[in-house]
Amino acid sequence: MIEMQNKAQTPKNQSTEKKTEKVPNIYEVDDLNLWYGNDQALYEINMDIPQYQVTAIIGPSGCGKSTFLKTLNRMVEMVPIVKTTGAIRYGDQNIYEDKYRVEDLRTKVGMVFQKPNPFPKSVYDNVAYGPRIHGIKDKKTLDQIVEKSLKGAAIWDELKDRLDENAFGLSGGQQQRVCIARALAVEPDVILMDEPTSALDPISTAKVEELIQELKKDYSIVIVTHNMQQAARISDRTAFFLNGELVEYQETDQLFQNPEDKRTEDYITGRFG
Amino acid sequence: MESKNLNGRVLKNRVMKTLFFSATVIALVFLVLLFYRVLSQGWGYLNWNYITSFPAPYPEEAGIWPGMIGSLMLMGVVAVVAVTIGISTAIYLEEYSPKNKLADFIRVNIQNLAGVPSIVFGLLGLTFFVYLFGIGYRLLAGGLTMALLILPVVVVSSQEALRSVPTEVKEASYGMGASKWQTIVRVILPAALPGILTGIILSLSRGIGETAPLIIVGAATAIYTLPDSLLSKYTVMPIQIYKWTARPQEEWQFVAAAGIIVLLIILLLMNAIAVWIRNKYQTRY
Amino acid sequence: MSRVSTTSSQTVDVRSLLENKRSKKLKMRKLENIIPYLLLLSALVSILTTAGILFTLLRETFGFFSEVSFVEFYTGTNWSPWSGEFGVLPLIGGTLLITVIATLVAVPLGLMSAIFLSEYASERVRKVIKPILEILAGIPTVVYGYFALTFITPILQAIIPGLSIFNALSGGIVVGVMIVPMVASLSEDAMNAVPNSLREGAYALGATRLEVAMKVVVPAALSGIIAAIVLAISRAIGETMIVTIAAGATPNLTMNPAESVQTMTAFIVQAATGDTTYGSIIYYSLYAVGITLFVFTMLMNLLSQYISRKFREEY
């Protein structure tokens, strides 16, 4: 079991490759279908997600983009009536195999949610949460991890003297960056972001967007956004979802300037949605 | 014509409003009268001697000490048993139980248990704890009986507290790769703790005023040594109060009233602590 | 407390640290799989409690009916267990008399308070009065018993000459006061659940507050109100200490509230405080009376649940 797990970890030192060249994939989604009870929410999704890039997922609300994101770390299973078919390969393992442990997957795939959701604990305890649940107890190690993660989330300078404060007392933008730091603390391979700026003001949004650009050096990022400009600004590739189908998946520039599908064009030119 | 009719309707509205208001006031007047009666009868008898004395044949010498200690020890047993079982049940129902028939049955059952008269719990305790388990008329039997009595309240209030922890916070924990139990212990329980504690204190304050089931499982009426173990004979404040009230001479009413003041002060303190915990530690989401 | 040392020149390799801890974590996972079963075990205690109640009541009642005939018990009008007369009707009658008096007190007071709080009172007034009203529900019943015997009874004696010290009236009134908050609170909840759009519709037609309350709100909330009343009646039936202290210990098949009566609950207390030996006929009679009481209250509780479920308004 441990051996298989090691294989799933993709080596880190290939990040210097150029975008235009063949980039290794972190995820390969094959024929994914998903139902909530009897209602099908995703239809035959096929999609390769490249490593060390920002992949944006856009589409009108209810199109299945958040649902798709949550299939990538199996958070979609929080709803008990969900059924899936098809495969999502992470590394070279199908994460929907019965023997695959979600806890392992979620350690390697961090998530940032729509609404900032810090625990009602101190900033320090929030960031140290991941390492602690995975068994790291040594205070010195935790200190280092907390500092590194907060620096990684570009919020260390703001909060280094307020580590004991309850994270609930922070501003929305700070809370969201603490949540990002919390996700960074276990050094995942992938970070999934579900409309991470939708609850934030423009200044905080700009900070988070800047941060995402920084983060893609070390992490593969998949971001769901309802904001097309945001997708255009920060992503390398963009996928357009409509009614549970993947309509178009392209280099971002390509998709916005020269969409292949009529429906994509209608959406990005604001004709619906 | 029409305005006359309207005047009549408005007048009727005013009269009835006064009536509704009076009804509310009457209920409050009962409360005021009750407190007034208790204070005016009991205040003169309430002194340090009363609190630290054992029951006595003369009203002036009687005291509530063994009842206080008995009530506190009994609540200790109740707290340990009801809190352990109550919180575990609530966690099971809220976090683990799939939507199956057994869990639904447990929920309905708890709702129905809450409606069983307390004296019936006394009969349960009498058969099981006193006789079948052979505990006898001892503190442990009373504590277990009382624990079962307040269990439904503990479960329901703990469930509410657990439910108030928002899904987003739970998702954050699962999203980090935490297991279910880790999420419960490290995130859900700490966040729900103020609510759970408030519920427990309020349940205990209900238990501390209960009389009937303890009479059935044989809390003694007069006792001259303090209980020193779970298998001691014991009495509790409400039973002492009951016995004093039942005596025909008026002086004993004063002794009873003094006991009621002590009991009400303890209840007031418990409720104050519960409110304080709720206001101070409850996280607002 | 948790100040971070800023000397993090040497970086931690989190990934390999996590990998090292992983096997330990897998062992913990195995242990965690047991936890739901342990929790389920606790959850079963509540079911065992119900089963235990049914078991004790049925078992000892069975013992009782092997000595006293079922028909005699439920049709007999003489209850003197210490001389071998086991007709339970006087106890049921006493219980019903107390319950009727309590209902007559609690329903008007509780309902009118609920209407006042829900339809007339401002938010501020409601926020003050409702918790005070609920204090009434938190007062130990032994305190109410004391209040009934030492305060209400003397007042009633001054009004009604010849009223005995122990009487159904005083106990019934105070039981009624005790359940007022239950009627008021639950009814008010039901009235609050009536959507404002219904009220606004009536106000727009020029209705007064009273007309809105009586013709719109109360009818719409009726099932909730009835469920509240039924639940309160169930509490009155099972109430013990007030009636034990104030209503006396005279099994008496009467509908005269001035007389002393004994309720089912009061008999259980009386028999349990006396020297009742395990296995004696008196001991068994506790349970025969207990199961009768249990059935009465259970029926009321189920009725209340049925009403609120069956007639739940869909707004």
Side-chain angles (χ1 to χ4, degrees), chain B residues 4 16 20-21 91 111 131 134 165 171 201 227 245 255 265 271 275 284:
Chain B
K4 213 174 177 184
M16 289 307 280
F20 294 147
F21 178 68
I91 292 176
Q111 191 188 356
Y131 291 125
V165 180
E171 277 181 342
I201 295 173
T245 306
V255 180
I265 287 175
N271 280 272
V275 171
R284 307 236 173 267

Side-chain angles (χ1 to χ4, degrees), chain B residues 1-219:
Chain B
M1 271 296 273
E2 236 182 70
S3 84
K4 213 174 177 184
N5 182 22
L6 182 66
N7 283 341
R9 285 166 55 213
V10 171
L11 182 69
K12 205 170 155 200
N13 179 42
R14 249 187 232 141
V15 171
M16 289 307 280
K17 179 183 176 178
T18 316
L19 195 67
F20 294 147
F21 178 68
S22 317
T24 315
V25 170
I26 288 175
L28 299 181
V29 163
F30 266 102
L31 189 68
V32 173
L33 282 177
L34 190 147
F35 282 136
Y36 168 75
R37 178 66 173 179
V38 169
L39 283 175
S40 66
Q41 281 210 326
W43 193 251
Y45 271 72
L46 188 64
N47 52 40
W48 192 243
N49 210 24
Y50 177 82
I51 290 172
T52 56
S53 292
F54 285 85
Y58 306 105
E60 300 77 25
E61 295 169 16
I64 201 157
W65 185 237
M68 268 176 78
I69 297 302
S71 282
L72 292 179
M73 287 184 69
L74 190 82
M75 282 308 118
V77 179
V78 174
V80 171
V81 178
V83 166
T84 330
I85 300 177
I87 297 182
S88 309
T89 305
I91 292 176
Y92 180 78
L93 291 178
E94 285 303 309
E95 305 297 331
Y96 278 99
S97 78
K99 298 222 173 301
N100 62 19
K101 289 228 170 85
L102 178 64
D104 284 343
F105 183 61
I106 295 175
R107 282 189 196 100
V108 173
N109 177 58
I110 286 171
Q111 191 188 356
N112 282 324
L113 266 187
V116 173
S118 62
I119 196 162
V120 173
F121 280 89
L123 293 175
L124 170 77
L126 180 65
T127 314
F128 271 97
F129 302 135
V130 175
Y131 291 125
L132 289 182
F133 293 0
I135 299 173
Y137 293 140
R138 307 299 159 127
L139 186 67
L140 183 61
L144 292 175
T145 306
M146 196 61 93
L148 293 183
L149 173 65
I150 68 162
L151 185 60
V153 195
V154 176
V155 172
V156 171
S157 61
S158 304
Q159 273 181 288
E160 273 166 22
L162 291 172
R163 224 175 288 148
S164 74
V165 180
T167 334
E168 291 90 42
V169 176
K170 296 180 195 174
E171 277 181 342
S173 174
Y174 290 124
M176 300 290 304
S179 67
K180 190 151 213 168
W181 185 242
Q182 284 177 321
T183 303
I184 291 171
V185 171
R186 287 166 184 260
V187 176
I188 301 177
L189 273 182
L193 199 61
I196 293 178
L197 276 181
T198 306
I200 287 168
I201 295 173
L202 293 180
S203 319
L204 286 179
S205 79
R206 189 187 148 197
I208 214 165
E210 272 290 349
T211 321
L214 292 179
I215 294 179
I216 311 299
V217 294

Side-chain angles (χ1 to χ4, degrees), chain A residues 75 78 102-107 119 129-130 132-134 186, chain B residues 169-187, chain C residues 25 29 32:
Chain A
M75 281 299 276
M78 298 283 288
V102 278
E103 284 92 343
D104 287 332
L105 175 67
R106 291 175 189 162
T107 311
F119 302 122
Y129 184 79
R132 277 185 177 143
I133 57 169
H134 292 107
V186 289
Chain B
V169 176
K170 296 180 195 174
E171 277 181 342
S173 174
Y174 290 124
M176 300 290 304
S179 67
K180 190 151 213 168
W181 185 242
Q182 284 177 321
T183 303
I184 291 171
V185 171
R186 287 166 184 260
V187 176
Chain C
K25 235 191 109 198
R29 278 297 308 271
E32 280 184 22

